[in-house]
Amino acid sequence: ILTAQLRATFSINEEQLALIGAMYFYAYAPFQLVSGILIDRYGVRKVLMIASLILTFGSFLFTQTDSIYAVYCSRFMIGLGSAFA
């Protein structure tokens, strides 16, 4: 749904657009393993609070940036925060 708007806003090609989507899964998949370990060690409340803050900051950064590299970083942060849910 957003592909046309993202391509126009950032002047990106298909490869860069695909990388925006992939950055989410680059963080999500490995942090699925890490999330269980951290939750066992530090407890659910602390870990989910920090993960929620990372997710929120990544979402805010995604909506406010005009740099493609910040978009990559924000999608990575969104994937990282989502892995703990």
Side-chain angles (χ1 to χ4, degrees), residues 1 17 20 24 56 66 73 76 79:
I1 296 172
L17 183 64
I20 291 172
Y24 176 89
T56 302
D66 57 354
C73 182
F76 190 87

Side-chain angles (χ1 to χ4, degrees), residues 18-60:
L19 188 56
I20 291 172
M23 290 301 288
Y24 176 89
F25 295 105
Y26 289 156
Y28 185 81
F31 278 99
Q32 283 281 302
L33 302 172
V34 176
S35 66
I37 296 168
L38 290 176
I39 288 172
D40 286 343
R41 178 169 287 173
Y42 298 109
V44 174
R45 286 185 185 200
K46 292 178 186 177
V47 174
L48 281 181
M49 183 181 70
I50 293 169
S52 297
L53 290 173
I54 292 170
L55 177 65
T56 302
F57 182 72
S59 298
F60 181 74

Side-chain angles (χ1 to χ4, degrees), residues 51-74:
S52 297
L53 290 173
I54 292 170
L55 177 65
T56 302
F57 182 72
S59 298
F60 181 74
L61 180 63
F62 185 80
T63 61
Q64 299 299 317
T65 189
D66 57 354
S67 166
I68 189 67
Y69 298 108
V71 169
Y72 294 153
C73 182
S74 68

Side-chain angles (χ1 to χ4, degrees), residues 2 4-6 9-10 15 18 20 22 32 37 54 56 61 79-80:
L2 294 174
Q5 294 171 342
L6 288 172
T9 301
F10 297 111
E15 181 182 338
I20 291 172
Q32 283 281 302
I37 296 168
I54 292 170
T56 302
L61 180 63
L80 189 151

